[in-house]
Amino acid sequence: MSSVVPIESPGTDTDLARRPRRRGTLLVVDDEEGPRKSLAVIFKDEYDILMADNGPHAIELAQKHDIDVAILDIRMAGMSGIEVLERLKYVNPHIEVVMMTAFETTDTMRQAMRLRASDYINKPFDISTMRAAVANAMQRRTLESEINDNAEKLQELMAELQNQKIEEQIANTRGEIYASILHDINGPLTVISGFVQLMNQRFSNATRLEKEDLEFIKDRLKIINRQVTNCIEISRRYLSFLRRQTDEIPRVSINQLLTDLKHLINVHPSVQQNTFAVQPVAEDIGARMNGTDVIQILLNLTVNAFQCTSTPHHVEITGEVLHEPLDLTQFKDGPETRFLNVEGMANAAPLLKLSVRDNGPGIPADVLPRIFQPYFTTKGPRQGTGLGLNIVQRLVKEGKGALHLQTAPGRGTTFTVYLPAARLR
């Protein structure tokens, strides 16, 4: 009958599973009681001991407990030791296994080594030899566990650093957008300030107002009122971007966002000798996405287009409204195309289709599969961080949109963004 041997006090399988593990766990599997008890006595002061007299119970214990090393007898009634070894490795590939038998054959040794047994001991075993074999197996298990833990921690650290880099890049781009907002507001404020000063100079010492003075004031107040309205609209527009959720009806049109984007790009250092054009959308509509994120997606794609070559070239942004869902079956990844976020896209009309097109050299086939990876860049160290397209991918996914890339050597590249849209309020 199968059993679990307690170390210091009686306990069940469940008790052992719940106890905090302070030392390695050793599983002994043998259909003979004598060898099982002998091994328990040898190792009880060093490890937590689990024992089973057949293969099925050994597999059951491996499923319930985190076992470090197992000692298996090869010849057992029912399931053989080789079969148990194979099943244990299936349950937990990291378990180290020491095989023992009184009937050693070349074939069984070969099978055991193929299944990655760590050692092979003959019965009757020598205590020092068995101790050494188990100690070596336990050390290998411990080292492997530490390596895996360190690898996981390293992956977590790299992911955290990557997220921080992306967030920093997003913050930097949003800083540029908000700087543009301040620039836009500064214009109306300058006009207001100038007219207020002008009226103050003209009427500060006046004791009475003539008819022409009243007309002057009315005219200047109309101009001031228009500029105040401009400031309020700019403020409201961008505050609404921060406050609303993606499922709310948009307040700001895509054409207004394209106008803001054009102002931002006109002063961007990446423009250099390149030409640039923005075509308004014929049917004005709003995107169901944070407005600053829409601008950031288009800005990153446009800057990427500017930087595709040092030779002067043309970049153009166009858009249209789609009144039917996309036929996703027509989009196939190939050597010159990529379609991202098929599964996560909210493919329901109306959809906003925005394209950023350049007539540059195109993207080489060996580079295309990697362009959305973080930190991947073909540009010089001063031209980019390799995060721009990765941020685009992330924002498109968060907005339940999709991204279609088409490129051809010598003919240029087109990035097309599909976003959920809604009529303006």
Side-chain angles (χ1 to χ4, degrees):
M1 182 177 179
S2 58
S3 62
V4 178
V5 175
I7 303 306
E8 296 178 356
S9 60
T12 65
D13 293 358
T14 304
D15 294 333
L16 186 55
R18 291 175 179 172
R19 273 202 318 251
R21 200 184 86 182
R22 292 188 176 86
R23 51 188 188 171
T25 299
L26 177 66
L27 171 65
V28 179
V29 187
D30 198 316
D31 58 356
E32 297 182 26
E33 185 177 12
R36 288 201 311 273
K37 289 188 174 180
S38 297
L39 289 168
V41 170
I42 293 171
F43 293 110
K44 69 177 183 179
D45 294 328
E46 300 173 63
Y47 312 116
D48 291 333
I49 309 296
L50 296 171
M51 295 202 301
D53 63 355
N54 58 63
H57 189 231
I59 303 304
E60 182 183 350
L61 291 175
Q63 291 171 337
K64 291 181 179 179
H65 304 282
D66 187 10
I67 295 171
D68 297 295
V69 177
I71 302 176
L72 304 183
D73 184 26
I74 287 184
R75 287 204 173 186
M76 294 187 293
M79 187 181 291
S80 71
I82 294 295
E83 291 176 297
V84 177
L85 167 61
E86 187 172 12
R87 293 290 299 277
L88 285 178
K89 288 291 187 178
Y90 179 79
V91 172
N92 183 356
H94 304 297
I95 294 177
E96 295 292 335
V97 179
V98 177
M99 307 298 295
M100 63 177 183
T101 184
F103 306 96
E104 178 181 351
T105 67
T106 303
D107 184 55
T108 55
M109 287 183 64
R110 187 182 297 114
Q111 285 181 295
M113 295 302 111
R114 179 177 60 82
L115 294 171
R116 296 183 294 114
S118 62
D119 214 333
Y120 200 98
I121 306 295
N122 289 319
K123 284 184 178 179
F125 55 79
D126 177 73
I127 293 178
S128 60
T129 302
M130 180 61 77
R131 280 188 179 276
V134 172
N136 288 336
M138 194 66 71
Q139 185 177 37
R140 286 177 57 179
R141 178 71 175 93
T142 302
L143 287 174
E144 184 178 9
S145 178
E146 290 178 356
I147 290 171
N148 289 335
D149 289 345
N150 289 335
E152 289 179 5
K153 290 177 181 177
L154 181 59
Q155 289 294 330
E156 291 174 1
L157 179 60
M158 291 178 65
E160 184 178 346
L161 289 174
Q162 177 181 326
N163 287 335
Q164 288 178 352
K165 281 282 188 181
I166 291 175
E167 292 299 331
E168 180 182 348
Q169 185 79 4
I170 289 174
N172 288 341
T173 306
R174 284 181 173 169
E176 294 178 11
I177 293 171
Y178 293 138
S180 178
I181 298 167
L182 293 176
H183 176 271
D184 290 348
I185 291 178
N186 185 62
L189 290 178
T190 301
V191 174
I192 293 169
S193 175
F195 278 114
V196 169
Q197 289 181 21
L198 182 61
M199 288 191 293
N200 185 55
Q201 291 172 0
R202 180 164 178 171
F203 303 113
S204 60
N205 297 321
T207 57
R208 53 178 296 182
L209 296 177
E210 302 295 337
K211 182 179 179 180
E212 61 181 21
D213 295 328
L214 291 174
E215 291 298 325
F216 177 88
I217 292 173
K218 287 180 181 180
D219 182 60
R220 297 314 184 265
L221 285 177
K222 286 179 182 179
I223 297 174
I224 290 173
N225 185 60
R226 284 200 301 269
Q227 300 305 320
V228 168
T229 301
N230 287 341
C231 290
I232 293 172
E233 287 302 316
I234 292 170
S235 301
R236 282 179 176 173
R237 183 165 77 240
Y238 285 93
L239 284 174
S240 70
F241 294 160
L242 300 176
R243 290 173 179 168
R244 72 177 177 87
Q245 302 298 318
T246 55
D247 58 347
E248 289 186 15
I249 297 175
R251 294 176 181 271
V252 183
S253 73
I254 185 60
N255 283 329
Q256 181 61 63
L257 294 179
L258 291 176
T259 299
D260 295 339
L261 174 69
K262 187 174 182 180
H263 292 323
L264 195 61
I265 290 175
N266 282 336
V267 295
H268 199 281
S270 296
V271 178
Q272 297 182 354
Q273 302 300 314
N274 303 309
T275 58
F276 172 67
V278 178
Q279 304 298 333
V281 179
E283 183 182 352
D284 208 2
I285 202 168
R288 288 187 179 272
M289 174 186 265
N290 183 296
T292 55
D293 290 346
V294 176
I295 292 177
Q296 185 163 1
I297 289 170
L298 296 176
L299 177 63
N300 286 10
L301 292 176
T302 304
V303 171
N304 183 75
F306 284 143
Q307 295 177 345
C308 68
T309 178
S310 58
T311 304
H313 57 287
H314 182 69
V315 177
E316 185 175 30
I317 298 178
T318 59
E320 64 176 300
V321 179
L322 305 181
H323 298 284
E324 298 290 338
L326 290 180
D327 179 10
L328 297 178
T329 60
Q330 67 175 317
F331 297 99
K332 304 292 184 183
D333 285 352
E336 297 182 349
T337 61
R338 283 291 185 277
F339 191 83
L340 280 66
N341 201 37
V342 175
E343 301 83 1
M345 179 188 182
N347 189 21
L351 291 169
L352 183 58
K353 176 183 177 181
L354 299 169
S355 297
V356 179
R357 182 180 298 105
D358 69 70
N359 61 351
I363 302 172
D366 61 324
V367 172
L368 185 61
R370 296 184 289 165
I371 63 170
F372 293 101
Q373 296 175 4
Y375 309 113
F376 176 78
T377 180
T378 58
K379 308 177 184 74
R382 295 185 179 181
Q383 282 193 299
T385 61
L387 290 173
L389 293 180
N390 183 258
I391 291 171
V392 168
Q393 180 185 26
R394 173 176 170 177
L395 293 177
V396 168
K397 286 184 176 181
E398 289 177 355
K400 299 181 180 179
L403 181 63
H404 186 214
L405 163 60
Q406 297 169 289
T407 188
R411 289 185 291 169
T413 300
T414 300
F415 286 88
T416 301
V417 181
Y418 296 94
L419 298 174
R423 302 296 172 190
L424 298 170
R425 289 197 286 189

